[in-house]
């Protein structure tokens, strides 16, 4: 099993920046692709950004150019969020795919990001 723990959420003014971190532990050899998702009240969970084990990245159109996803060799995932907007307000979740069981996904507990206008 893989455990994911996020940190770094909080309250920020519009135009500001926040950085999120997600530390993976347990059977980290199982991890392939990692990503950040978010869920705003009354909305479905959506992909924000993802990064493969080969460091290829993809971003939602709404965050491209403002957010940057990265990971290090110790299986810590990061999301640097700049030029934040009130519509970025959501609970942000860390996700990891299992390379041996693609249908299995691991999730963190989530961290709240609130952007005040």
């Amino acid at each position: 099993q893989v455990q994911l723990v996020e940190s770094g959420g909080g309250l920020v003014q519009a135009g500001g920046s926040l950085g999120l971190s997600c530390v993976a532990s347990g059977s980290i050899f199982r991890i392939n692709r990692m990503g950040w998702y978010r869920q705003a009240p009354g909305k479905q969970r959506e992909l924000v950004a993802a990064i493969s084990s080969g460091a290829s990245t993809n971003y939602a159109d709404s965050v491209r150019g403002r957010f940057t996803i990265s990971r290090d060799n110790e299986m810590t995932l990061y999301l640097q969020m700049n030029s934040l907007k009130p519509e970025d307000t959501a609970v942000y979740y860390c996700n990891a795919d299992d390379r041996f069981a693609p249908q299995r996904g691991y999730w963190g507990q989530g961290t709240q990001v609130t952007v005040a206008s």
Side-chain angles (χ1 to χ4, degrees):
Q1 294 296 316
V2 173
Q3 294 78 44
L4 303 172
V5 178
E6 303 102 334
S7 62
L11 172 65
V12 65
Q13 294 294 316
S17 298
L18 273 177
L20 304 182
S21 299
C22 171
V23 177
S25 62
S27 302
I28 61 173
F29 65 92
R30 303 187 71 92
I31 293 175
N32 187 14
R33 174 180 176 269
M34 299 185 76
W36 290 97
Y37 288 72
R38 68 185 180 188
Q39 187 166 19
K43 295 188 176 181
Q44 290 188 330
R45 190 173 297 190
E46 63 175 359
L47 175 68
V48 175
I51 185 167
S52 71
S53 56
S56 296
T57 59
N58 65 285
Y59 295 91
D61 289 343
S62 59
V63 307
R64 187 175 292 112
R66 299 188 296 121
F67 291 11
T68 302
I69 189 171
S70 61
R71 66 195 283 183
D72 65 20
N73 291 334
E74 299 303 317
M75 287 299 178
T76 299
L77 182 69
Y78 303 96
L79 185 68
Q80 179 62 39
M81 304 182 291
N82 299 327
S83 302
L84 282 160
K85 305 175 181 180
E87 51 264 43
D88 294 319
T89 295
V91 178
Y92 283 69
Y93 297 91
C94 177
N95 170 266
D97 291 346
D98 189 318
R99 69 175 68 247
F100 302 109
Q103 74 283 1
R104 177 188 297 173
Y106 302 100
W107 294 93
Q109 80 286 356
T111 185
Q112 177 71 45
V113 172
T114 302
V115 184
S117 57

